[in-house]
Amino acid sequence: MAYHIEKLIDEREVIEGIKKVAEKINRDYQGKSIRLVCILKGGVFFLTELSKYLEGNITIDFMSVSSYGAGTVSSGIVKIIKDLDESIEGENVIVIEDIVDTGNTLSYLLELLRDRKPASVKLCTLLDKPSRRTKDIQADYVAFTIPDKFVVGFGLDYDQCYRNLPYVGVVEFDD
Ligand code: IMP
Ligand code: MG
C-alpha cells in the first residue's frame, strides 16, 4: 500500500523536549547514580540524546524485547531477545523506551525488572500514546504525548525502516 510520512514533531522540537525531560530527571535524582536501561532498538536514539544532558554517574545497559510483528498492531506477546549484561540489584534504574502504546511490553518488562531488586525503577519514554492503553502503565517521564497515529523516526520504525529520521512523523496511508 502506498503511504507517505507527515512531519509531526520537528528535529528542534524533539531535542528541546528531550532536554526538558533531562532537567526533570536531574532535579529528581540530584546527581545520584542512574542505570539507564534502554529498550532496543527504538530507545537508542532517545537514550543517546537524553544521556548527554544527565548529571551524576550514568551507566547504560540494553535489553531487546519483541512485541510487534512486521505490522502496526501489537501481537500482545512479549519475548526477550537480549537480556541485560549487568545485574541491576541496588541500582536506580530508568527504563528508556521509544513509545508506550498499549503498555503490554512495559507491564511485562517492569515486573521482570522489579523482581531483580533494584533500588528503584522508573519509566521514561520519548512518546506516549495514552489513548491506546490496555494495561495500567504510566510513564514517570514523557517527552511528548501524541494522538493515536502510527509514527516513525527518532528510533521508531515501520517494518524496521525510518528509525534514523531526525524528526517524528506520522505514516499516512494513501487510498
Ligand atoms: P506496546 O507494548 O503496545 O506499548 O508497544 C510498545 C512497542 O510497540 C514500542 O516499543 C514500539 O516498538 C512499538 N510501537 C507502538 N506504537 C508505535 C508507533 O506508532 N510506531 C512505531 N512503533 C510503535
Ligand atoms: Mg518497535
Side-chain angles (χ1 to χ4, degrees):
M1 210 196 302
Y3 62 89
H4 64 280
I5 296 166
E6 206 64 63
K7 211 176 261 188
L8 180 69
I9 310 166
D10 72 27
E11 189 171 356
R12 224 195 52 203
E13 224 183 319
V14 174
I15 308 292
E16 285 312 307
I18 293 174
K19 280 185 183 167
K20 282 195 188 130
V21 169
E23 281 164 20
K24 273 192 212 142
I25 293 175
N26 286 334
R27 274 200 302 274
D28 291 354
Y29 287 79
Q30 305 271 358
K32 279 188 201 159
S33 303
I34 301 172
R35 172 72 48 85
L36 298 174
V37 167
C38 175
I39 310 306
L40 294 170
K41 303 169 183 155
V44 167
F45 298 77
F46 182 33
L47 168 84
T48 55
E49 192 58 37
L50 177 78
S51 59
K52 290 181 202 170
Y53 313 109
L54 294 179
E55 295 157 1
N57 288 322
I58 307 298
T59 54
I60 61 176
D61 205 344
F62 298 90
M63 199 163 189
S64 180
V65 297
S66 98
S67 64
Y68 273 50
T72 61
V73 182
S74 177
S75 65
I77 300 160
V78 181
K79 213 168 71 186
I80 294 192
I81 314 275
K82 183 218 170 289
D83 207 339
L84 298 172
D85 291 337
E86 310 285 339
S87 162
I88 54 168
E89 193 173 335
E91 301 287 339
N92 293 306
V93 170
I94 302 181
V95 176
I96 307 294
E97 253 288 26
D98 51 359
I99 188 165
V100 185
D101 186 23
T102 62
N104 260 332
T105 315
L106 269 312
S107 73
Y108 174 84
L109 207 69
L110 290 175
E111 202 172 316
L112 183 130
L113 294 177
R114 286 196 182 107
D115 281 349
R116 298 181 182 182
K117 302 190 172 43
S120 63
V121 183
K122 285 198 179 182
L123 172 59
C124 177
T125 186
L126 177 65
L127 305 176
D128 188 12
K129 234 195 257 183
S131 54
R132 299 233 321 150
R133 203 77 93 248
T134 56
K135 292 279 162 59
D136 185 22
I137 291 288
Q138 234 178 329
D140 301 282
Y141 303 100
V142 176
F144 301 94
T145 300
I146 60 162
D148 183 11
K149 305 268 186 186
F150 194 81
V151 291
V152 292
F154 224 93
L156 292 116
D157 73 298
Y158 176 41
D159 222 353
Q160 295 304 323
C161 286
Y162 309 114
R163 293 190 195 277
N164 58 309
L165 295 179
Y167 56 87
V168 175
V170 176
V171 179
E172 300 273 12
F173 294 92
D174 313 317
D175 38 29

